[in-house]
Amino acid sequence: MYSQCMSTSETTSDRLIESTRELLWERGYVGTSPKAILERSGAGQGSMYHHFKGKPDLALAAIRRTAEELRATAEGVLGGPGTPYERIEAYLLRERDVLRGCPVGRLTMDPDVIASDELRAPVDETLDAIRELIAKIVEEGKEQGGFAPSLDGEEIAATVLATVQGGYVLARASGSPAAFDAGVRGLLSLLAPR
Amino acid sequence: MYSQCMSTSETTSDRLIESTRELLWERGYVGTSPKAILERSGAGQGSMYHHFKGKPDLALAAIRRTAEELRATAEGVLGGPGTPYERIEAYLLRERDVLRGCPVGRLTMDPDVIASDELRAPVDETLDAIRELIAKIVEEGKEQGGFAPSLDGEEIAATVLATVQGGYVLARASGSPAAFDAGVRGLLSLLAPR
């Protein structure tokens, strides 16, 4: 009986988190009402407030899960085989749902997320971790001779991440992934070992 | 009497547009209610619906004005003196309120803006116009020898614009303009004539 109850609870909590993740991606924090979360998850108001203190608490769980997934994906691609250039290339070219935008990056445009240190933390930590990883790969590439010694790992890492995040902006503005792809190809042509 | 009335009308309409521009920049379209616009502008509900058909109509006027301003600023900087590299450098380094983000780019994260061809049009046209301008400057730089002939103007232009738009994302995530600056410096080090 108890384990049955636990299992149902876990499922409801999970469904609430998953629905919140989707809504945050589609409509942002400001555009996501507790009512919309309940409707999408099919959970009752009572069970939402049983599992979470409220929208910020539920959103924090959702943002953390999305951030962890993004980080794991990026680490997987960047930690793959190949030269430093090839690993950055793989990161830039990895399959993305470009027109949906980045589920983590888009949160930075949300005033209520940015105003809350707690909600902003997983966003900041994730982007920072990916940036650090890219910076190390650039430094490796400088040692191996693929990248010019004049390049700064931290700076290039910020450029790589910014090109991806800004690529989403250009793609969504134009309604086509082409602008994202163009930005990535441009960056790769600048980074290419000569 | 008539001109007096016209002048008051223009002022109210203008105040409504300016308040809407501020709110769209701060909170996005989804996060901006007609009530908030009325409160910030000090206009009455009647005068809002006298001048505009509703929130989409008022937002369109606001987005158009913001887009025109951004385009004029970019054209001013990119059309300034200097080599192609220096003009792109000036564009990348121009003074920006980095932590506020781009008033045009941020709209692409707004589902209601992206879902409306009418609201999206000024966003798309503005980013496209700036991209075209940068692409031409890159082509100029290739002819003059400052940029490598292997570079593609359209692609590099997308990279430049994406670095700026994504730089805002990184800066807002970390709560500091440093990440924006790093991304821009990284791109400039890649673009620098050798």
Side-chain angles (χ1 to χ4, degrees), chain A residues 123-139:
Chain A
V123 175
D124 185 25
E125 284 160 17
T126 301
L127 295 178
D128 207 49
I130 301 173
R131 217 163 67 203
E132 281 309 309
L133 200 49
I134 299 173
K136 269 186 208 153
I137 296 174
V138 174
E139 293 299 334

PDB file of all heavy atoms in Angstrom, chain A residues 123-139:
ATOM      1  N   VAL A 123      20.630  28.072 -14.360  1.00  0.00           N
ATOM      2  CA  VAL A 123      20.873  28.605 -15.704  1.00  0.00           C
ATOM      3  C   VAL A 123      22.325  29.065 -15.809  1.00  0.00           C
ATOM      4  O   VAL A 123      23.063  28.681 -16.725  1.00  0.00           O
ATOM      5  CB  VAL A 123      19.917  29.797 -15.995  1.00  0.00           C
ATOM      6  CG1 VAL A 123      20.246  30.444 -17.339  1.00  0.00           C
ATOM      7  CG2 VAL A 123      18.463  29.348 -15.940  1.00  0.00           C
ATOM      8  N   ASP A 124      22.735  29.843 -14.834  1.00  0.00           N
ATOM      9  CA  ASP A 124      24.089  30.382 -14.822  1.00  0.00           C
ATOM     10  C   ASP A 124      25.116  29.258 -14.727  1.00  0.00           C
ATOM     11  O   ASP A 124      26.091  29.213 -15.492  1.00  0.00           O
ATOM     12  CB  ASP A 124      24.231  31.338 -13.629  1.00  0.00           C
ATOM     13  CG  ASP A 124      25.579  32.038 -13.609  1.00  0.00           C
ATOM     14  OD1 ASP A 124      26.189  32.180 -14.683  1.00  0.00           O
ATOM     15  OD2 ASP A 124      26.014  32.453 -12.521  1.00  0.00           O
ATOM     16  N   GLU A 125      24.897  28.329 -13.801  1.00  0.00           N
ATOM     17  CA  GLU A 125      25.861  27.253 -13.573  1.00  0.00           C
ATOM     18  C   GLU A 125      26.033  26.369 -14.814  1.00  0.00           C
ATOM     19  O   GLU A 125      27.140  25.946 -15.141  1.00  0.00           O
ATOM     20  CB  GLU A 125      25.414  26.384 -12.391  1.00  0.00           C
ATOM     21  CG  GLU A 125      25.660  27.066 -11.037  1.00  0.00           C
ATOM     22  CD  GLU A 125      24.801  26.471  -9.925  1.00  0.00           C
ATOM     23  OE1 GLU A 125      24.269  25.356 -10.113  1.00  0.00           O
ATOM     24  OE2 GLU A 125      24.652  27.130  -8.879  1.00  0.00           O
ATOM     25  N   THR A 126      24.925  26.106 -15.488  1.00  0.00           N
ATOM     26  CA  THR A 126      24.989  25.245 -16.674  1.00  0.00           C
ATOM     27  C   THR A 126      25.755  25.906 -17.810  1.00  0.00           C
ATOM     28  O   THR A 126      26.664  25.301 -18.396  1.00  0.00           O
ATOM     29  CB  THR A 126      23.559  24.905 -17.151  1.00  0.00           C
ATOM     30  OG1 THR A 126      22.896  24.249 -16.080  1.00  0.00           O
ATOM     31  CG2 THR A 126      23.579  24.006 -18.371  1.00  0.00           C
ATOM     32  N   LEU A 127      25.397  27.154 -18.114  1.00  0.00           N
ATOM     33  CA  LEU A 127      26.092  27.847 -19.198  1.00  0.00           C
ATOM     34  C   LEU A 127      27.566  28.020 -18.846  1.00  0.00           C
ATOM     35  O   LEU A 127      28.448  27.894 -19.697  1.00  0.00           O
ATOM     36  CB  LEU A 127      25.425  29.206 -19.470  1.00  0.00           C
ATOM     37  CG  LEU A 127      23.984  29.133 -19.998  1.00  0.00           C
ATOM     38  CD1 LEU A 127      23.399  30.527 -20.190  1.00  0.00           C
ATOM     39  CD2 LEU A 127      23.931  28.370 -21.326  1.00  0.00           C
ATOM     40  N   ASP A 128      27.823  28.265 -17.562  1.00  0.00           N
ATOM     41  CA  ASP A 128      29.193  28.441 -17.111  1.00  0.00           C
ATOM     42  C   ASP A 128      30.004  27.149 -17.250  1.00  0.00           C
ATOM     43  O   ASP A 128      31.160  27.167 -17.678  1.00  0.00           O
ATOM     44  CB  ASP A 128      29.158  28.878 -15.644  1.00  0.00           C
ATOM     45  CG  ASP A 128      30.383  29.681 -15.279  1.00  0.00           C
ATOM     46  OD1 ASP A 128      30.705  30.613 -16.039  1.00  0.00           O
ATOM     47  OD2 ASP A 128      31.010  29.354 -14.257  1.00  0.00           O
ATOM     48  N   ALA A 129      29.379  26.037 -16.897  1.00  0.00           N
ATOM     49  CA  ALA A 129      30.074  24.744 -16.966  1.00  0.00           C
ATOM     50  C   ALA A 129      30.423  24.405 -18.423  1.00  0.00           C
ATOM     51  O   ALA A 129      31.526  23.930 -18.717  1.00  0.00           O
ATOM     52  CB  ALA A 129      29.204  23.647 -16.362  1.00  0.00           C
ATOM     53  N   ILE A 130      29.485  24.664 -19.335  1.00  0.00           N
ATOM     54  CA  ILE A 130      29.749  24.388 -20.752  1.00  0.00           C
ATOM     55  C   ILE A 130      30.859  25.305 -21.263  1.00  0.00           C
ATOM     56  O   ILE A 130      31.750  24.887 -21.997  1.00  0.00           O
ATOM     57  CB  ILE A 130      28.458  24.547 -21.592  1.00  0.00           C
ATOM     58  CG1 ILE A 130      27.373  23.575 -21.087  1.00  0.00           C
ATOM     59  CG2 ILE A 130      28.731  24.316 -23.072  1.00  0.00           C
ATOM     60  CD1 ILE A 130      26.019  23.757 -21.735  1.00  0.00           C
ATOM     61  N   ARG A 131      30.806  26.541 -20.818  1.00  0.00           N
ATOM     62  CA  ARG A 131      31.829  27.507 -21.242  1.00  0.00           C
ATOM     63  C   ARG A 131      33.211  27.084 -20.761  1.00  0.00           C
ATOM     64  O   ARG A 131      34.187  27.163 -21.516  1.00  0.00           O
ATOM     65  CB  ARG A 131      31.474  28.889 -20.694  1.00  0.00           C
ATOM     66  CG  ARG A 131      31.804  30.000 -21.645  1.00  0.00           C
ATOM     67  CD  ARG A 131      31.101  31.268 -21.286  1.00  0.00           C
ATOM     68  NE  ARG A 131      31.571  31.831 -20.039  1.00  0.00           N
ATOM     69  CZ  ARG A 131      30.877  32.669 -19.281  1.00  0.00           C
ATOM     70  NH1 ARG A 131      29.650  33.017 -19.621  1.00  0.00           N
ATOM     71  NH2 ARG A 131      31.372  33.157 -18.174  1.00  0.00           N
ATOM     72  N   GLU A 132      33.287  26.635 -19.527  1.00  0.00           N
ATOM     73  CA  GLU A 132      34.573  26.192 -18.979  1.00  0.00           C
ATOM     74  C   GLU A 132      35.131  25.009 -19.772  1.00  0.00           C
ATOM     75  O   GLU A 132      36.322  24.913 -20.031  1.00  0.00           O
ATOM     76  CB  GLU A 132      34.418  25.800 -17.507  1.00  0.00           C
ATOM     77  CG  GLU A 132      34.376  26.983 -16.558  1.00  0.00           C
ATOM     78  CD  GLU A 132      35.538  27.946 -16.791  1.00  0.00           C
ATOM     79  OE1 GLU A 132      36.696  27.488 -16.822  1.00  0.00           O
ATOM     80  OE2 GLU A 132      35.289  29.152 -17.009  1.00  0.00           O
ATOM     81  N   LEU A 133      34.217  24.115 -20.115  1.00  0.00           N
ATOM     82  CA  LEU A 133      34.622  22.925 -20.859  1.00  0.00           C
ATOM     83  C   LEU A 133      35.172  23.316 -22.234  1.00  0.00           C
ATOM     84  O   LEU A 133      36.220  22.820 -22.671  1.00  0.00           O
ATOM     85  CB  LEU A 133      33.385  22.026 -21.008  1.00  0.00           C
ATOM     86  CG  LEU A 133      33.589  20.558 -21.328  1.00  0.00           C
ATOM     87  CD1 LEU A 133      34.617  19.942 -20.413  1.00  0.00           C
ATOM     88  CD2 LEU A 133      32.246  19.817 -21.159  1.00  0.00           C
ATOM     89  N   ILE A 134      34.482  24.204 -22.915  1.00  0.00           N
ATOM     90  CA  ILE A 134      34.947  24.661 -24.231  1.00  0.00           C
ATOM     91  C   ILE A 134      36.278  25.407 -24.085  1.00  0.00           C
ATOM     92  O   ILE A 134      37.188  25.239 -24.906  1.00  0.00           O
ATOM     93  CB  ILE A 134      33.884  25.549 -24.920  1.00  0.00           C
ATOM     94  CG1 ILE A 134      32.591  24.753 -25.147  1.00  0.00           C
ATOM     95  CG2 ILE A 134      34.406  26.102 -26.249  1.00  0.00           C
ATOM     96  CD1 ILE A 134      31.431  25.577 -25.673  1.00  0.00           C
ATOM     97  N   ALA A 135      36.388  26.202 -23.032  1.00  0.00           N
ATOM     98  CA  ALA A 135      37.630  26.967 -22.825  1.00  0.00           C
ATOM     99  C   ALA A 135      38.816  26.015 -22.700  1.00  0.00           C
ATOM    100  O   ALA A 135      39.890  26.261 -23.271  1.00  0.00           O
ATOM    101  CB  ALA A 135      37.504  27.842 -21.572  1.00  0.00           C
ATOM    102  N   LYS A 136      38.628  24.913 -21.964  1.00  0.00           N
ATOM    103  CA  LYS A 136      39.708  23.937 -21.798  1.00  0.00           C
ATOM    104  C   LYS A 136      40.072  23.303 -23.140  1.00  0.00           C
ATOM    105  O   LYS A 136      41.247  23.062 -23.427  1.00  0.00           O
ATOM    106  CB  LYS A 136      39.259  22.817 -20.838  1.00  0.00           C
ATOM    107  CG  LYS A 136      39.602  23.116 -19.390  1.00  0.00           C
ATOM    108  CD  LYS A 136      39.261  21.919 -18.497  1.00  0.00           C
ATOM    109  CE  LYS A 136      38.952  22.404 -17.088  1.00  0.00           C
ATOM    110  NZ  LYS A 136      38.059  21.513 -16.357  1.00  0.00           N
ATOM    111  N   ILE A 137      39.059  23.012 -23.945  1.00  0.00           N
ATOM    112  CA  ILE A 137      39.305  22.401 -25.251  1.00  0.00           C
ATOM    113  C   ILE A 137      40.078  23.365 -26.157  1.00  0.00           C
ATOM    114  O   ILE A 137      40.973  22.948 -26.898  1.00  0.00           O
ATOM    115  CB  ILE A 137      37.963  21.963 -25.898  1.00  0.00           C
ATOM    116  CG1 ILE A 137      37.324  20.866 -25.029  1.00  0.00           C
ATOM    117  CG2 ILE A 137      38.159  21.494 -27.327  1.00  0.00           C
ATOM    118  CD1 ILE A 137      35.938  20.450 -25.473  1.00  0.00           C
ATOM    119  N   VAL A 138      39.749  24.644 -26.071  1.00  0.00           N
ATOM    120  CA  VAL A 138      40.488  25.633 -26.877  1.00  0.00           C
ATOM    121  C   VAL A 138      41.945  25.688 -26.424  1.00  0.00           C
ATOM    122  O   VAL A 138      42.862  25.716 -27.259  1.00  0.00           O
ATOM    123  CB  VAL A 138      39.833  27.038 -26.780  1.00  0.00           C
ATOM    124  CG1 VAL A 138      40.690  28.081 -27.489  1.00  0.00           C
ATOM    125  CG2 VAL A 138      38.429  27.022 -27.375  1.00  0.00           C
ATOM    126  N   GLU A 139      42.144  25.669 -25.119  1.00  0.00           N
ATOM    127  CA  GLU A 139      43.531  25.699 -24.610  1.00  0.00           C
ATOM    128  C   GLU A 139      44.311  24.465 -25.083  1.00  0.00           C
ATOM    129  O   GLU A 139      45.478  24.566 -25.457  1.00  0.00           O
ATOM    130  CB  GLU A 139      43.540  25.791 -23.080  1.00  0.00           C
ATOM    131  CG  GLU A 139      42.998  27.115 -22.511  1.00  0.00           C
ATOM    132  CD  GLU A 139      43.792  28.348 -22.957  1.00  0.00           C
ATOM    133  OE1 GLU A 139      44.979  28.226 -23.280  1.00  0.00           O
ATOM    134  OE2 GLU A 139      43.183  29.450 -23.000  1.00  0.00           O
TER     135      GLU A 139
END
